[in-house]
Amino acid sequence: MAYWLMKTEPGSWSWEDQVAKDVEHWDGVRNYQASNNMKAMKVGDRVFFYHSVKEKKIVGIVEVCKEYYPDHTDKSGRFGMVDVKTLHPMTTPVSLEEIKAHPELQEMALIKQSRLSVMPVKDKEWNIICGMGETKPA
């Protein structure tokens, strides 16, 4: 199993929207590196659900339930999407500020590539953040 983080603007797709829908496609990604990260996702991979813009915090965990396929919103046909299933909220949301303050998370893609919307998360990073959020890692 691999771990990931996907960013969303809560004004366009929030954790509450995800919970209400349960399973939904993750469309609209137009960055090649983020798209390549989605291509690498496998069914069963876990994903931190991150509210960007004003909130800047990890609020939940979803699971990849359908691997990369064409994004119906992309007229060029270059980009794809994955489907994710709601697992559970973070018991305590983990803010970007808290992540930046943690000495063992300084190399995390969320800090190093702050504009990337879909990024890998290392096993150790996943476990540390789950601990910070008082949430089971799996």
Side-chain angles (χ1 to χ4, degrees), residues 94-108 111 124-133:
V94 179
S95 71
L96 177 60
E97 186 177 302
E98 292 171 295
I99 292 167
K100 284 182 172 180
H102 197 289
E104 293 183 82
L105 299 175
Q106 296 308 300
E107 297 302 313
M108 191 170 178
I111 296 172
K124 185 176 182 179
E125 296 166 344
W126 181 269
N127 289 322
I128 289 169
I129 291 171
C130 285
M132 292 168 70

Side-chain angles (χ1 to χ4, degrees), residues 1-85:
M1 176 187 327
Y3 300 108
W4 307 91
L5 182 145
M6 297 171 95
K7 293 180 180 180
T8 181
E9 295 180 20
S12 59
W13 187 254
S14 69
W15 175 250
E16 292 74 21
D17 295 329
Q18 179 67 41
V19 169
K21 194 77 181 220
D22 189 38
V23 173
E24 186 58 41
H25 52 267
W26 201 276
D27 63 8
V29 173
R30 298 296 183 266
N31 171 284
Y32 284 104
Q33 187 176 1
S35 181
N36 286 337
N37 287 336
M38 289 198 319
K39 285 179 185 176
M41 292 178 171
K42 301 293 179 207
V43 169
D45 284 358
R46 300 294 164 91
V47 183
F48 283 135
F49 193 103
Y50 181 90
H51 277 175
S52 62
V53 189
K54 293 179 185 173
E55 290 188 31
K56 296 182 182 170
K57 61 186 175 183
I58 297 170
V59 295
I61 297 176
V62 296
E63 180 179 73
V64 176
C65 60
K66 183 175 180 182
E67 293 176 14
Y68 196 82
Y69 63 102
D71 182 340
H72 64 276
T73 69
D74 176 29
K75 305 261 187 265
S76 74
R78 290 186 206 124
F79 295 97
M81 58 189 179
V82 298
D83 289 358
V84 295
K85 177 178 179 37

